[in-house]
Amino acid sequence: MTQKSLMLQVRNLRKTFTLHGRGGVQLPVFNDISFEVSAGECVALIGSSGSGKSTLLRSLYANYLPSAGEILVKHHGEWVDIASVEARTKLEIRRETIGYVSQFLRVIPRISSIDLISEVAISGGMSSEIAIEVSSALLRRLNLPEHLWNVPPATFSGGEQQRVNIAMGLVRPYPILLLDEPTASLDASNRESAIELILEAKSRGAAIIAICHDETARDRFADRLFDVSQFKAAA
Ligand SMILES: Nc1ncnc2c1ncn2[C@@H]1O[C@H](COP(=O)(O)OP(=O)(O)O)[C@@H](O)[C@H]1O
Ligand SMILES: [Mg+2]
Protein backbone atom coordinates (compact mmCIF):
# COMPACT_ATOMS: atom_id res chain seq x y z
CA MET A 1 0.00 0.00 0.00
CA THR A 2 1.53 3.29 -1.05
CA GLN A 3 -0.46 5.65 1.11
CA LYS A 4 -2.15 4.75 4.32
CA SER A 5 -5.87 5.22 4.03
CA LEU A 6 -7.82 5.83 7.20
CA MET A 7 -10.87 3.63 7.76
CA LEU A 8 -11.85 4.43 11.34
CA GLN A 9 -11.42 7.50 13.53
CA VAL A 10 -12.45 7.42 17.18
CA ARG A 11 -12.59 10.86 18.75
CA ASN A 12 -12.89 11.71 22.43
CA LEU A 13 -15.06 8.70 23.12
CA ARG A 14 -16.63 8.30 26.53
CA LYS A 15 -18.82 5.52 27.85
CA THR A 16 -20.72 5.61 31.11
CA PHE A 17 -23.37 3.00 31.77
CA THR A 18 -26.50 4.14 33.55
CA LEU A 19 -28.01 1.33 35.59
CA HIS A 20 -31.71 2.15 35.25
CA GLY A 21 -32.80 -0.71 37.46
CA ARG A 22 -30.64 0.66 40.26
CA GLY A 23 -31.96 4.18 40.55
CA GLY A 24 -29.82 5.46 37.69
CA VAL A 25 -26.43 4.64 39.22
CA GLN A 26 -23.66 5.82 36.88
CA LEU A 27 -20.90 3.38 35.97
CA PRO A 28 -18.11 5.23 34.14
CA VAL A 29 -15.99 2.91 31.97
CA PHE A 30 -13.65 5.06 29.86
CA ASN A 31 -13.23 8.69 28.95
CA ASP A 32 -11.59 10.61 26.10
CA ILE A 33 -10.45 7.74 23.92
CA SER A 34 -9.09 8.75 20.52
CA PHE A 35 -7.35 6.58 17.93
CA GLU A 36 -7.31 5.85 14.23
CA VAL A 37 -7.01 2.69 12.18
CA SER A 38 -5.93 2.50 8.55
CA ALA A 39 -6.58 -0.08 5.87
CA GLY A 40 -4.28 -3.07 6.21
CA GLU A 41 -3.50 -2.29 9.84
CA CYS A 42 -4.38 -4.18 13.02
CA VAL A 43 -4.71 -2.48 16.40
CA ALA A 44 -5.01 -4.76 19.43
CA LEU A 45 -6.91 -3.48 22.46
CA ILE A 46 -5.21 -4.34 25.72
CA GLY A 47 -5.87 -3.52 29.38
CA SER A 48 -6.89 -5.31 32.53
CA SER A 49 -10.16 -7.18 32.79
CA GLY A 50 -13.01 -4.72 33.20
CA SER A 51 -11.09 -1.83 31.60
CA GLY A 52 -13.65 -1.61 28.81
CA LYS A 53 -12.13 -3.44 25.83
CA SER A 54 -15.34 -5.27 24.92
CA THR A 55 -17.40 -2.15 25.64
CA LEU A 56 -15.21 -0.20 23.21
CA LEU A 57 -15.51 -2.88 20.53
CA ARG A 58 -19.29 -3.05 20.97
CA SER A 59 -19.47 0.73 20.76
CA LEU A 60 -17.60 0.60 17.44
CA TYR A 61 -20.32 -1.76 16.18
CA ALA A 62 -22.96 0.59 17.60
CA ASN A 63 -24.25 -2.01 20.02
CA TYR A 64 -23.65 0.58 22.72
CA LEU A 65 -24.32 4.27 22.37
CA PRO A 66 -21.34 6.40 23.41
CA SER A 67 -21.88 8.99 26.17
CA ALA A 68 -19.70 11.48 24.28
CA GLY A 69 -17.44 11.57 21.26
CA GLU A 70 -17.53 10.32 17.69
CA ILE A 71 -16.93 7.05 15.87
CA LEU A 72 -16.22 7.96 12.27
CA VAL A 73 -16.36 5.06 9.85
CA LYS A 74 -15.39 5.22 6.17
CA HIS A 75 -18.55 3.83 4.61
CA HIS A 76 -18.86 3.72 0.81
CA GLY A 77 -16.10 6.33 0.61
CA GLU A 78 -17.69 8.79 3.03
CA TRP A 79 -17.15 9.47 6.73
CA VAL A 80 -20.17 8.71 8.85
CA ASP A 81 -20.55 8.71 12.63
CA ILE A 82 -21.96 5.25 13.36
CA ALA A 83 -23.11 6.46 16.77
CA SER A 84 -25.50 9.00 15.32
CA VAL A 85 -26.68 7.61 11.96
CA GLU A 86 -30.26 6.48 11.50
CA ALA A 87 -31.07 2.81 12.10
CA ARG A 88 -31.25 1.95 8.41
CA THR A 89 -27.73 3.29 7.74
CA LYS A 90 -26.41 1.52 10.82
CA LEU A 91 -27.66 -1.80 9.45
CA GLU A 92 -26.18 -0.98 6.05
CA ILE A 93 -22.80 -0.24 7.66
CA ARG A 94 -22.95 -3.58 9.45
CA ARG A 95 -23.86 -5.34 6.22
CA GLU A 96 -21.35 -3.64 3.95
CA THR A 97 -18.51 -2.16 5.97
CA ILE A 98 -17.97 -3.64 9.43
CA GLY A 99 -17.63 -7.33 10.20
CA TYR A 100 -17.76 -8.43 13.82
CA VAL A 101 -16.51 -11.69 15.25
CA SER A 102 -17.94 -11.87 18.74
CA GLN A 103 -16.50 -13.93 21.53
CA PHE A 104 -19.59 -16.10 21.66
CA LEU A 105 -22.12 -16.99 19.00
CA ARG A 106 -24.68 -14.21 19.20
CA VAL A 107 -27.72 -15.70 17.55
CA ILE A 108 -28.34 -19.39 17.62
CA PRO A 109 -31.10 -19.87 15.07
CA ARG A 110 -32.09 -23.24 13.68
CA ILE A 111 -30.12 -22.72 10.50
CA SER A 112 -27.29 -25.01 9.43
CA SER A 113 -23.74 -23.73 9.89
CA ILE A 114 -22.99 -23.70 6.18
CA ASP A 115 -26.20 -21.75 5.45
CA LEU A 116 -25.44 -19.19 8.17
CA ILE A 117 -22.10 -18.47 6.52
CA SER A 118 -23.39 -18.63 2.92
CA GLU A 119 -26.18 -16.20 3.72
CA VAL A 120 -23.62 -13.61 4.76
CA ALA A 121 -21.84 -14.11 1.43
CA ILE A 122 -25.12 -13.98 -0.53
CA SER A 123 -26.05 -10.72 1.23
CA GLY A 124 -22.85 -9.36 -0.33
CA GLY A 125 -24.10 -10.21 -3.80
CA MET A 126 -22.53 -13.64 -4.27
CA SER A 127 -24.54 -16.27 -6.12
CA SER A 128 -25.72 -19.06 -3.83
CA GLU A 129 -23.63 -21.62 -5.68
CA ILE A 130 -20.39 -19.65 -5.22
CA ALA A 131 -21.37 -18.72 -1.66
CA ILE A 132 -21.63 -22.41 -0.72
CA GLU A 133 -18.27 -23.07 -2.35
CA VAL A 134 -16.54 -20.20 -0.57
CA SER A 135 -18.14 -21.09 2.77
CA SER A 136 -17.12 -24.74 2.40
CA ALA A 137 -13.55 -23.72 1.64
CA LEU A 138 -13.49 -21.58 4.78
CA LEU A 139 -14.91 -24.31 7.00
CA ARG A 140 -12.43 -26.76 5.54
CA ARG A 141 -9.54 -24.42 6.35
CA LEU A 142 -10.91 -23.90 9.84
CA ASN A 143 -11.08 -27.66 10.15
CA LEU A 144 -14.74 -27.86 11.15
CA PRO A 145 -15.67 -31.55 10.64
CA GLU A 146 -17.77 -31.87 7.49
CA HIS A 147 -20.57 -33.80 9.20
CA LEU A 148 -21.28 -30.65 11.25
CA TRP A 149 -21.75 -28.33 8.28
CA ASN A 150 -25.43 -29.16 7.92
CA VAL A 151 -26.11 -28.93 11.65
CA PRO A 152 -27.18 -25.67 13.38
CA PRO A 153 -24.32 -24.56 15.68
CA ALA A 154 -26.52 -24.36 18.82
CA THR A 155 -25.20 -27.66 20.19
CA PHE A 156 -21.58 -27.14 19.08
CA SER A 157 -18.64 -26.93 21.47
CA GLY A 158 -17.19 -23.49 22.18
CA GLY A 159 -14.37 -24.02 19.71
CA GLU A 160 -16.71 -25.26 16.98
CA GLN A 161 -19.03 -22.28 17.45
CA GLN A 162 -16.03 -19.98 17.39
CA ARG A 163 -15.01 -21.33 13.97
CA VAL A 164 -18.52 -20.70 12.61
CA ASN A 165 -18.24 -17.16 14.02
CA ILE A 166 -14.89 -16.58 12.37
CA ALA A 167 -16.18 -17.89 9.05
CA MET A 168 -19.22 -15.58 9.24
CA GLY A 169 -16.94 -12.61 9.93
CA LEU A 170 -14.41 -13.41 7.21
CA VAL A 171 -16.58 -14.70 4.35
CA ARG A 172 -17.14 -11.16 3.08
CA PRO A 173 -14.26 -8.76 2.44
CA TYR A 174 -15.40 -6.24 5.06
CA PRO A 175 -13.23 -3.10 5.00
CA ILE A 176 -13.29 -3.01 8.82
CA LEU A 177 -13.14 -6.04 11.12
CA LEU A 178 -13.81 -6.17 14.86
CA LEU A 179 -12.51 -9.32 16.53
CA ASP A 180 -13.28 -10.15 20.18
CA GLU A 181 -11.05 -13.03 21.28
CA PRO A 182 -11.17 -14.75 17.88
CA THR A 183 -8.76 -17.53 18.88
CA ALA A 184 -9.58 -17.97 22.58
CA SER A 185 -11.37 -21.29 22.48
CA LEU A 186 -9.32 -22.90 19.70
CA ASP A 187 -6.62 -25.52 19.99
CA ALA A 188 -3.16 -24.88 18.55
CA SER A 189 -3.73 -26.06 14.98
CA ASN A 190 -7.14 -24.40 14.65
CA ARG A 191 -5.69 -21.24 16.15
CA GLU A 192 -3.05 -21.29 13.44
CA SER A 193 -5.71 -21.49 10.70
CA ALA A 194 -7.61 -18.58 12.26
CA ILE A 195 -4.43 -16.49 12.49
CA GLU A 196 -3.66 -17.16 8.83
CA LEU A 197 -7.17 -16.04 7.81
CA ILE A 198 -6.79 -12.86 9.87
CA LEU A 199 -3.42 -12.17 8.22
CA GLU A 200 -5.00 -12.68 4.80
CA ALA A 201 -7.77 -10.21 5.68
CA LYS A 202 -5.10 -7.73 6.69
CA SER A 203 -3.15 -8.13 3.50
CA ARG A 204 -6.26 -7.58 1.37
CA GLY A 205 -6.55 -4.26 3.23
CA ALA A 206 -8.94 -4.79 6.14
CA ALA A 207 -8.59 -2.37 9.05
CA ILE A 208 -8.73 -4.61 12.12
CA ILE A 209 -9.41 -3.88 15.79
CA ALA A 210 -8.88 -6.99 17.91
CA ILE A 211 -9.03 -8.15 21.49
CA CYS A 212 -6.72 -11.13 22.02
CA HIS A 213 -5.30 -12.16 25.37
CA ASP A 214 -2.99 -14.74 23.84
CA GLU A 215 0.15 -12.68 23.31
CA THR A 216 1.77 -15.16 20.96
CA ALA A 217 -1.26 -15.08 18.67
CA ARG A 218 -1.62 -11.32 19.08
CA ASP A 219 1.99 -10.65 18.11
CA ARG A 220 1.38 -12.44 14.84
CA PHE A 221 -1.25 -10.04 13.56
CA ALA A 222 -1.22 -6.84 15.66
CA ASP A 223 0.76 -3.86 14.37
CA ARG A 224 0.29 -1.87 17.55
CA LEU A 225 -1.32 -2.08 20.96
CA PHE A 226 -3.87 0.34 22.39
CA ASP A 227 -4.17 0.30 26.16
CA VAL A 228 -7.79 0.99 27.11
CA SER A 229 -7.03 1.06 30.87
CA GLN A 230 -5.20 4.38 30.42
CA PHE A 231 -8.55 6.03 29.84
CA LYS A 232 -10.27 4.90 32.98
CA ALA A 233 -12.98 7.36 33.89
CA ALA A 234 -13.26 8.63 37.44
CA ALA A 235 -16.13 7.03 39.38
N1 LIG B 1 -24.20 -3.64 29.43
C1 LIG B 1 -23.56 -3.21 30.52
N2 LIG B 1 -24.22 -2.58 31.52
C2 LIG B 1 -23.56 -2.14 32.62
N3 LIG B 1 -22.23 -2.29 32.81
C3 LIG B 1 -21.53 -2.91 31.86
C4 LIG B 1 -22.15 -3.41 30.66
N4 LIG B 1 -21.19 -3.98 29.89
C5 LIG B 1 -20.03 -3.85 30.58
N5 LIG B 1 -20.24 -3.20 31.75
C6 LIG B 1 -19.21 -2.85 32.73
O1 LIG B 1 -18.22 -2.07 32.06
C7 LIG B 1 -16.91 -2.38 32.54
C8 LIG B 1 -16.05 -2.80 31.37
O2 LIG B 1 -16.45 -4.09 30.92
P1 LIG B 1 -15.85 -4.78 29.62
O3 LIG B 1 -15.91 -3.83 28.49
O4 LIG B 1 -16.50 -6.09 29.45
O5 LIG B 1 -14.31 -4.95 30.06
P2 LIG B 1 -13.17 -5.85 29.38
O6 LIG B 1 -13.68 -6.35 28.08
O7 LIG B 1 -11.99 -4.92 29.25
O8 LIG B 1 -12.87 -6.92 30.35
C9 LIG B 1 -17.10 -3.45 33.59
O9 LIG B 1 -17.08 -2.81 34.84
C10 LIG B 1 -18.46 -4.04 33.27
O10 LIG B 1 -19.06 -4.53 34.43
MG1 LIG C 1 -14.07 -8.35 27.36
Side-chain angles (χ1 to χ4, degrees):
M1 210 159 297
T2 49
Q3 206 191 348
K4 79 174 197 166
S5 101
L6 279 183
M7 292 306 298
L8 179 80
Q9 302 182 65
V10 174
R11 290 191 185 150
N12 310 108
L13 201 69
R14 179 168 81 216
K15 182 60 187 173
T16 296
F17 288 107
T18 303
L19 307 180
H20 296 288
R22 303 194 147 262
V25 168
Q26 301 275 103
L27 187 76
V29 183
F30 51 71
N31 189 21
D32 210 18
I33 284 187
S34 299
F35 65 97
E36 298 172 342
V37 190
S38 297
E41 181 185 41
C42 175
V43 175
L45 305 180
I46 59 164
S48 51
S49 175
S51 58
K53 303 178 294 298
S54 296
T55 299
L56 175 55
L57 212 63
R58 289 197 184 115
S59 304
L60 300 183
Y61 202 58
N63 276 339
Y64 290 152
L65 193 65
S67 311
E70 292 180 309
I71 298 166
L72 302 174
V73 171
K74 194 74 162 283
H75 174 60
H76 292 168
E78 306 214 352
W79 288 109
V80 291
D81 182 355
I82 193 173
S84 61
V85 293
E86 59 185 61
R88 192 167 50 92
T89 311
K90 186 161 101 179
L91 293 177
E92 189 187 279
I93 292 171
R94 287 177 177 173
R95 199 169 55 239
E96 313 284 335
T97 298
I98 306 184
Y100 180 56
V101 176
S102 60
Q103 196 169 358
F104 306 103
L105 208 61
R106 280 167 295 165
V107 279
I108 313 209
R110 296 213 298 275
I111 302 174
S112 74
S113 303
I114 190 86
D115 285 348
L116 277 174
I117 301 158
S118 313
E119 276 170 24
V120 176
I122 291 166
S123 76
M126 222 179 256
S127 74
S128 54
E129 209 175 324
I130 308 243
I132 295 275
E133 253 173 58
V134 169
S135 306
S136 306
L138 260 177
L139 287 181
R140 202 165 283 124
R141 284 191 63 183
L142 287 162
N143 202 30
L144 188 80
E146 209 157 329
H147 68 268
L148 294 178
W149 295 7
N150 288 312
V151 179
T155 54
F156 285 8
S157 74
E160 289 162 351
Q161 289 190 353
Q162 186 65 336
R163 281 173 277 166
V164 173
N165 255 343
I166 292 171
M168 286 173 73
L170 297 183
V171 72
R172 282 189 65 169
Y174 294 106
I176 299 172
L177 277 176
L178 309 176
L179 311 174
D180 196 345
E181 293 290 1
T183 63
S185 41
L186 303 182
D187 63 35
S189 88
N190 290 327
R191 187 180 313 132
E192 187 57 34
S193 313
I195 291 171
E196 280 166 18
L197 288 170
I198 294 168
L199 288 172
E200 285 170 27
K202 232 175 90 166
S203 47
R204 69 153 170 84
I208 303 178
I209 301 94
I211 302 171
C212 179
H213 282 100
D214 174 354
E215 286 182 38
T216 316
R218 190 170 73 202
D219 287 347
R220 296 273 303 282
F221 51 77
D223 298 294
R224 59 196 165 88
L225 306 178
F226 186 85
D227 187 355
V228 176
S229 52
Q230 291 182 345
F231 301 88
K232 188 156 185 53

